[in-house]
Amino acid sequence: DGQHGDQMIDLMEKLPVMSPLMTRLMGKLRPADYQPNFPIHLVEKDLGYFVELLAPELRAVSFVEATRQCYAHAVARGKGGDDITGIRQLFDGV
């Protein structure tokens, strides 16, 4: 629900590893501003390239593949043109 999403945003905003880009994207989540900056389908494509090219050499790419599958699910649900912050819509049931 929206309350849990807001709690997640509060927590993530306090992490010391937050980049300026992630801070800006987190700010878009609060008002549910899903205007695309970088669409989900391009993130999924890039993650697929990463897994395809590096998986044979790296043992720890399962987290990248799991992330790619999340984005592929979003594409399959018609969210491919949405901003990457639109992933939250899947969890909010939008």
Side-chain angles (χ1 to χ4, degrees), residues 32-70:
D33 176 8
Y34 299 122
Q35 291 298 315
N37 287 308
F38 194 76
I40 289 170
H41 71 92
L42 293 178
V43 175
E44 190 275 331
K45 175 185 63 81
D46 291 348
L47 290 172
Y49 289 148
F50 179 87
V51 170
E52 182 181 318
L53 294 172
L54 298 178
E57 298 171 17
L58 299 174
R59 288 184 231 168
V61 296
S62 60
F63 72 94
V64 176
E65 177 56 19
T67 303
R68 189 202 62 77
Q69 288 178 11
C70 179

Side-chain angles (χ1 to χ4, degrees), residues 7-93:
Q7 289 173 344
M8 177 202 67
I9 293 167
D10 290 341
L11 174 67
M12 292 197 60
E13 286 177 334
K14 294 174 185 166
L15 294 174
V17 296
M18 287 294 288
S19 70
L21 172 63
M22 288 304 297
T23 301
R24 184 169 58 86
L25 290 175
M26 286 291 136
K28 291 181 65 152
L29 287 174
R30 280 200 196 281
D33 176 8
Y34 299 122
Q35 291 298 315
N37 287 308
F38 194 76
I40 289 170
H41 71 92
L42 293 178
V43 175
E44 190 275 331
K45 175 185 63 81
D46 291 348
L47 290 172
Y49 289 148
F50 179 87
V51 170
E52 182 181 318
L53 294 172
L54 298 178
E57 298 171 17
L58 299 174
R59 288 184 231 168
V61 296
S62 60
F63 72 94
V64 176
E65 177 56 19
T67 303
R68 189 202 62 77
Q69 288 178 11
C70 179
Y71 281 86
H73 176 71
V75 171
R77 298 279 310 266
K79 303 284 185 197
D82 292 351
D83 189 87
I84 59 174
T85 58
I87 291 293
R88 179 176 175 181
Q89 296 176 64
L90 295 176
F91 297 102
D92 287 347

